[in-house]
Amino acid sequence: MTHPDNCSPKRILIDTDPGIDDAAAILLALASPEIHLEGLSIVHGNCSVQQGVINALSILELAQAPSVPVVQGCELPLVQPALLAPETHGERGLGYAELPAPSLQPLPQPACDFLIERTLGAPAEITIVAIGPLTNLALALRKEPLFASAVKEIIVMGGAIRHEGNTTPLAEFNTYVDPHAAYILFHSGIPITLVPLDVTYQCILTEAHLQRIEQVPSPISVFLRQATRFYMEFHDEYQAIEGCVINDPLALALAFRPDFCKYEELYVDVDISGGVCLGKTFADFYRMSGKAANMRVALQVQAEAFLDLFVERIIALSQKILAQEVKRMR
Ligand code: BDR
Ligand code: CA
């Protein structure tokens, strides 16, 4: 399996269920000059898809990035019943943060059509960073046979390879919520980088990181404090973790800093048999199946280097927004 590894600037579409760490990933994308953010396609997951659209638009307004298109995607998983995560992300998906209702509107196009149109319009140029359940992508794959060959690469935050699950004892949230969609994507032939809990659970945003971010007080730092306070309470109560795991920003960062992780090319599948393993991702480390690798899997991470980059980029975004506000007031 070949894996594309070009230089910047990278054209990125984010498929997301915003979500506290999704919001942090979107902000990181907007703060990173290596990335051109081509759009946000929204999927059910941490909150309803309708709420996710509102959250995405509010985050773009907060970051003064009104030109990034947002499209609404699937409301439900392909086969499974819906499973939202209010205990992890709050009733509206952004913890204690209360952003003003957005004045921006989503495009009227369904997410899977948008994904198809944008990728077929720029074959082998667009990287998709998928940080929610994979329903929109599965639908695009089923609807347009040319979609798979048009996508340059997909970076998927999902799965737990040697790590315990965060939604069942075995399964990670994104692959558990729509395991059938993950199955379709994993067998699509698209070059995939999987970013499982094995690496994301080493990336814990702490009070000290937040205090660094708050040294430049801005609407962004206020938002991150309010959103992550809820997320930190969840991690403390359910997982005895001090701080909060920022899964999705790591997947985004790997689009332009792949060196933050070490990878193995592996055959990986996801359980859809409906028992206790539903949504569990498993890798054939010893090549017992004889099947060719279908993805590269991040299994080691330089967590502090990534967290430093995250903090620095968010500070730079805060400074940029403050400067724009000063300019507007003149
Ligand atoms: C994933 O599930 C969601 O709660 C997060 O946003 C992340 O995408 C982690 O399992
Ligand atoms: Ca997510």
Side-chain angles (χ1 to χ4, degrees):
M1 193 185 68
T2 55
H3 212 281
D5 206 4
N6 290 2
C7 316
S8 51
K10 283 214 161 194
R11 299 178 65 178
I12 302 282
L13 283 169
I14 303 182
D15 190 68
T16 169
D17 58 336
I20 295 168
D21 60 334
D22 300 76
I26 294 166
L27 292 174
L28 179 59
L30 295 170
S32 296
E34 300 90 344
I35 280 180
H36 182 257
L37 185 55
E38 306 261 333
L40 302 175
S41 54
I42 312 302
V43 69
H44 66 92
N46 292 324
C47 55
S48 73
V49 72
Q50 294 81 1
Q51 184 64 52
V53 168
I54 294 170
N55 294 349
L57 296 168
S58 297
I59 294 157
L60 291 175
E61 273 190 16
L62 178 79
Q64 298 182 8
S67 58
V68 177
V70 173
V71 286
Q72 180 169 320
C74 295
E75 193 170 356
L76 293 169
L78 296 183
V79 178
Q80 289 295 110
L83 178 69
L84 307 179
E87 75 299 332
T88 315
H89 295 268
E91 283 303 327
R92 286 186 290 173
L94 296 177
Y96 294 123
E98 290 195 15
L99 295 176
S103 56
L104 296 170
Q105 293 291 321
L107 298 183
Q109 208 177 16
C112 78
D113 291 351
F114 175 81
L115 291 167
I116 290 167
E117 185 190 285
R118 296 297 163 120
T119 51
L120 266 64
E125 278 187 32
I126 295 186
T127 295
I128 298 175
V129 180
I131 54 178
L134 297 164
T135 323
N136 290 342
L137 294 162
L139 228 60
L141 282 161
R142 284 294 184 260
K143 187 166 183 185
E144 174 51 72
L146 295 175
F147 179 66
S149 55
V151 176
K152 180 180 180 186
E153 177 190 16
I154 297 194
I155 302 174
V156 176
M157 190 285 121
I161 300 296
R162 292 183 170 122
H163 200 276
E164 62 271 24
N166 64 354
T167 302
T168 73
L170 293 167
E172 180 277 332
F173 182 78
N174 292 336
T175 55
Y176 180 74
V177 169
D178 198 342
H180 302 89
Y183 184 90
I184 289 171
L185 179 66
F186 289 3
H187 295 275
S188 67
I190 299 176
I192 296 172
T193 297
L194 191 73
V195 187
L197 300 184
D198 307 61
V199 282
T200 65
Y201 262 63
Q202 295 176 51
C203 299
I204 297 173
L205 190 80
T206 62
E207 175 61 29
H209 294 121
L210 271 179
Q211 284 180 11
R212 272 171 66 196
I213 287 171
E214 286 174 326
Q215 281 171 10
V216 180
S218 78
I220 302 282
S221 60
V222 171
F223 167 75
L224 277 176
R225 165 63 75 182
Q226 292 172 343
T228 56
R229 185 160 65 82
F230 188 96
Y231 207 31
M232 286 184 180
E233 286 172 7
F234 162 81
H235 281 85
D236 180 32
E237 186 181 339
Y238 286 79
Q239 299 175 352
I241 289 173
E242 205 174 314
C244 58
V245 180
I246 50 168
N247 308 278
D248 295 339
L250 177 64
L252 189 280
L254 295 182
F256 60 96
R257 287 294 308 266
D259 57 304
F260 280 154
C261 282
K262 283 196 176 148
Y263 310 85
E264 274 193 54
E265 299 272 345
L266 289 164
Y267 176 76
V268 175
D269 216 330
V270 56
D271 186 82
I272 52 170
S273 62
V276 73
C277 295
L278 183 68
K280 167 71 185 154
T281 46
F282 50 98
D284 185 5
F285 283 102
Y286 294 150
R287 326 259 170 216
M288 289 176 283
S289 67
K291 291 178 179 166
N294 58 347
M295 61 184 72
R296 64 173 191 173
V297 184
L299 289 170
Q300 289 178 50
V301 60
Q302 295 175 45
E304 271 314 319
F306 157 68
L307 287 159
D308 272 345
L309 174 122
F310 177 78
V311 169
E312 282 160 17
R313 292 290 166 96
I314 296 296
I315 288 173
L317 184 62
S318 285
Q319 284 165 334
K320 186 175 142 200
I321 280 167
L322 291 178
Q324 279 170 0
E325 269 171 21
V326 169
K327 214 164 137 192
R328 211 176 309 127
M329 282 161 67
R330 280 203 184 126

